[in-house]
Amino acid sequence: MPKLLIVESPAKAKTIGKYLGSGYTVVASIGHVRDLPKSNKKAIDLDGFVPHYEVSAGKEKVLSEIERLAKSSDEVLLATDPDREGEAIAWHIAEAVDFGKKKVRRVVFNEITKDAIIEALKSPRDIDENLRRAQEARRVLDRLVGYDLSGVIWKKVRYGLSAGRVQSPALRILVEREREIKAFKPEGYFSITATTETVKKERLPLACSIEPKEEKESERILSIAKKEDWQVVSVEESEAKRSPKAPFTTSTLQQAASTRLGFSPSRTMRIAQKLYEAGHITYMRTDSTALSKQAVAQIALAIEKIYGKDEIELRTYATKSKNAQEAHEAVRPTDALKEKAGSTPEEEGLYSLIWGRAVASQMKDARVMRTKILANVTSRTIPDFQANGSRTIYRGWFDADPEARGEDVELPKVKEGEALKLIDIASLQKFTEPPSRYSEAGLVKELEARGIGRPSTYASIIKTLEDREYVTKEGRSLKPTDTGEVVSTFLEENFNQYISDTFTAEMEDKLDLIAEGKVEYEKTLSDFYKPFSKEVKAKDKLDKATTLGEADARHVCPKCGSSMVIKLGRSGKFLSCSRYPDCDGALLIDGTEMPKDKVIGVHPDTGSDITLKTGKYGPYVEMVMPEEKAETPPTEDQARKPKKKKAKKPAKPKLRRASVPKEVKPEEVTLAQAVHYLSLPRQLGSHPDTGKVITANIGRFGPYIVHDGDFRSVKAPDDVYNIELPRALEILKQEKKKRGFARKKKE
């Protein structure tokens, strides 16, 4: 009988099945098969912190199929991912399926290659209870903290908000930076630049080494610079080595993919998962920069073949993280001789990034010549002007990872005392700028530096903050929303200990100790949860945090003239009369008048009033849809039966809403325009292949058509108000465009 080998994903199962042949049946669990139920009351027994798992929705068939296949197999092998999450999935499968007296063993490999899998099958082991217990501790801890903190926020701030053990410290970091930005006071200064020409007629741009704050000093420098002759004061050249960076960890891969490819951390991990499952790269969730001896030897062969034997310089990189993922290598190609891999452009781009970093890590240092030129007028009565540049004199590892090199700025050859001709000089007033907001890559780097979270959690942390609408993306920057700031402030004031860097990092260390078998699961959770739950209960005495502070004294209530206070509403912060509820006067947060609902007119077809309103995402029009009448009258038997009288709740009216385009001023919307906007969503017809309806509409991110969950943007000259079925089918046939930033082509 064949052996049954269980993995998580169908793609992984397909790849491994090709390697193992008829002696094995490879099947996928399709991720986790069990999880905690949504209800906190029955999810965890606090006496011993025992979780009560339920089979995840839709996984009953998966488990039944695994059980059926197991009956015709003589051995069961659990080959889920080589980390705590994978260990937990393996344990859940073993717990949820009745394998009878069959042997159930665990096999682990860090890459999906034939050699690695065959080698792993030679040494199966039991499920590591410490590893899976550490994952369970994290899951239970996150559930307890999340539910308890969220419960307090619901009561004291606003219903529907949430908090989390790792999510909240990440939000706090973003909010702290936002406070720095708001508190920043810019200072003016003058940037002075000059363009000079050498005796060989080559241009030499220079910048003043001092940026004066006073305009008078700036004018003095310009005046003297224009009157006197210029010369080279000094030329400094120094050779410097540039060593290659270590192979990628999860964190550094996410940062580099964000900077070079424009990928979000979650997108990077999705693409890396596909490369891993296809056997192109090693496991992508790791803190380690280590490479196996076999990998180093293979990379050396690739360097010799592509760049020459003289370019090899084998290196060992120390892992900075004190809790590097269990026995993992760095992220690297499984075959260093394969320079390109991937089935899509984004997979090819990420693979190229991984390949270049891994290969470069075993190559010789690059050498650059750094040049610094100082120039001044002959009297030296103004600050020196300078130019900095560099040129590559030995490429070394630059050949494998050229984009990591940066730009070379080549300066003309000059010598000390050489005369220069001033072509132009100018002064521009500038102002100091506040610290920049974190990008996704920057936040990942910061979380790693502070010991918050682990490689597998970075992407989900950021996604949760975005999904909860605690942050928004402005370009590549993460900006806290009003709601995010309010939630973070409330947690800092009332639960600061539990969202601090120190506490969060220490808890991660304790989870690592559980994984190593050095501390007990129950004691670790008990030591944390008992004082935590007491503090949560104590916060029941807090007043509801409806007021967020006093408003600017310039803004007074439009109804009674009283002072205003800042409050949080569904659409963010606003100003409310301090006498509320006696007075319901309100203003927008900037002190302008609160937009009022306005009836534009009556819809000609439905007879319903059309009202102009303002919501979370801007102005929109709304109308009540007419009630649908029952198509069939009750039967004679139904009519004769005595009806039980039940107190029925009045049915909520069905509403149709449509956004007002950004280019249209809300106060200028006419009845005809409103009727036009409310014609959406439009059903264009059924898809000839699936029979499912294709709909045109406008959403938060603009106009689109959708068919069976496949959303496509509609761009000019197409218009969602008049697009027809044939054109929609053409758009759906087109290859879906990838998100992100296109890489610049080198000239």
Side-chain angles (χ1 to χ4, degrees), residues 59-356:
K59 292 302 173 72
E60 295 87 352
K61 290 183 180 179
V62 174
L63 293 173
S64 296
E65 178 65 7
I66 290 174
E67 191 168 316
R68 184 187 69 80
L69 293 170
K71 289 177 181 177
S72 57
S73 305
D74 58 7
E75 188 177 356
V76 177
L77 297 168
L78 301 167
T80 47
D81 285 344
D83 58 7
R84 296 176 198 172
E85 204 75 18
E87 207 72 23
I89 293 173
W91 178 79
H92 280 293
I93 293 170
E95 290 288 307
V97 177
D98 182 7
F99 289 114
K101 295 182 179 179
K102 291 279 194 314
K103 289 182 180 178
V104 181
R105 306 298 303 280
R106 176 92 165 98
V107 291
V108 176
F109 38 81
N110 286 322
E111 59 185 73
I112 304 176
T113 58
K114 188 172 183 178
D115 290 344
I117 292 165
I118 290 173
E119 188 63 31
L121 291 172
K122 293 177 183 177
S123 53
R125 60 168 172 78
D126 293 330
I127 291 173
D128 188 323
E129 287 293 327
N130 291 329
L131 281 185
R132 77 94 187 161
R133 206 71 164 145
Q135 189 276 340
E136 187 167 81
R138 178 188 293 278
R139 187 75 184 91
V140 168
L141 188 63
D142 288 347
R143 168 59 66 89
L144 292 173
V145 173
Y147 267 72
D148 286 3
L149 283 184
S150 298
V152 175
I153 292 174
W154 284 18
K155 294 175 185 176
K156 305 302 178 184
V157 182
R158 197 182 76 201
Y159 181 81
L161 300 177
S162 73
R165 183 181 64 88
V166 184
Q167 151 199 337
S168 297
L171 176 61
R172 193 203 74 243
I173 291 170
L174 297 176
V175 170
E176 286 173 345
R177 176 59 58 86
E178 197 66 21
R179 290 178 189 140
E180 290 179 42
I181 293 170
K182 289 178 179 178
F184 181 82
K185 293 181 179 179
E187 294 182 359
Y189 66 94
F190 291 85
S191 174
I192 306 173
T193 55
T195 302
T196 61
E197 189 177 78
T198 69
V199 292
K200 294 181 179 180
K201 304 296 183 182
E202 294 175 304
R203 290 293 172 100
L204 175 61
L206 298 162
C208 187
S209 58
I210 293 175
E211 296 174 326
K213 293 183 178 181
E214 301 296 331
E215 186 175 9
K216 186 177 179 181
E217 174 63 6
S218 171
E219 290 174 350
R220 184 188 75 83
I221 293 171
L222 289 177
S223 176
I224 295 173
K226 290 175 181 177
K227 291 177 183 177
E228 296 191 21
D229 293 330
W230 283 67
Q231 66 179 15
V232 175
V233 173
S234 66
V235 180
E236 296 178 15
E237 281 197 329
S238 59
E239 187 176 317
K241 290 182 179 180
R242 284 190 58 188
S243 298
K245 295 181 179 179
F248 283 126
T249 61
T250 302
S251 168
T252 54
L253 175 62
Q254 290 175 359
Q255 292 169 49
S258 175
T259 303
R260 294 202 210 170
L261 304 176
F263 293 168
S264 67
S266 57
R267 187 179 177 192
T268 298
M269 296 309 287
R270 284 197 303 272
I271 299 166
Q273 180 79 33
K274 291 178 181 177
L275 289 171
Y276 166 67
E277 290 174 351
H280 297 315
I281 64 170
T282 53
Y283 194 55
M284 62 285 161
R285 292 186 178 90
T286 175
D287 289 320
S288 175
T289 55
L291 295 172
S292 67
K293 290 181 180 179
Q294 294 88 338
V296 171
Q298 189 189 71
I299 290 172
L301 284 175
I303 295 169
E304 182 176 351
K305 180 181 178 181
I306 301 169
Y307 305 112
K309 193 173 183 178
D310 292 343
E311 297 298 321
I312 300 170
E313 184 173 328
L314 303 185
R315 305 165 188 265
T316 301
Y317 294 88
T319 298
K320 294 180 181 179
S321 172
K322 64 180 179 178
N323 296 308
Q325 288 285 79
E326 305 86 11
H328 289 180
E329 285 188 71
V331 186
R332 63 167 176 82
T334 55
D335 181 359
L337 290 167
K338 188 184 291 185
E339 292 184 63
K340 295 182 179 179
S343 57
T344 65
E346 57 184 10
E347 287 180 24
E348 291 173 359
L350 191 64
Y351 179 84
S352 177
L353 203 64
I354 294 167
W355 184 91

Side-chain angles (χ1 to χ4, degrees), residues 630-636 638:
E631 293 182 6
T632 55
T635 64
E636 189 176 344
Q638 289 172 334

Side-chain angles (χ1 to χ4, degrees), residues 403-477:
E403 288 190 43
R405 177 188 65 185
E407 294 295 325
D408 279 343
V409 179
E410 197 85 41
L411 297 176
K413 286 279 187 182
V414 294
K415 58 185 179 180
E416 187 176 325
E418 181 177 325
L420 295 172
K421 179 183 178 182
L422 180 66
I423 304 298
D424 185 40
I425 188 167
S427 174
L428 178 65
Q429 186 176 21
K430 295 183 178 180
F431 293 88
T432 54
E433 295 184 353
S436 59
R437 294 188 178 100
Y438 287 100
S439 63
E440 290 180 315
L443 181 58
V444 166
K445 186 176 182 180
E446 191 68 21
L447 291 172
E448 184 182 41
R450 300 191 189 199
I452 298 172
R454 284 293 180 263
S456 59
T457 65
Y458 297 142
S460 63
I461 290 170
I462 295 172
K463 187 175 185 304
T464 298
L465 292 176
E466 291 178 351
D467 290 346
R468 296 290 184 188
E469 297 184 350
Y470 288 168
V471 301
T472 57
K473 283 182 70 175
E474 294 188 354
R476 292 195 181 187
S477 300

Side-chain angles (χ1 to χ4, degrees), residues 546-593:
T546 54
T547 301
L548 308 177
E550 300 293 329
D552 191 307
R554 292 180 295 121
H555 305 311
V556 296
C557 177
K559 289 190 174 182
C560 70
S562 298
S563 61
M564 307 286 281
V565 293
I566 303 170
K567 291 193 176 184
L568 178 67
R570 285 284 174 186
S571 303
K573 293 177 184 175
F574 70 99
L575 304 183
S576 171
C577 180
S578 58
R579 293 180 56 242
Y580 182 85
D582 295 329
C583 176
D584 61 359
L587 295 171
L588 295 176
I589 190 65
D590 62 359
T592 57
E593 185 180 353

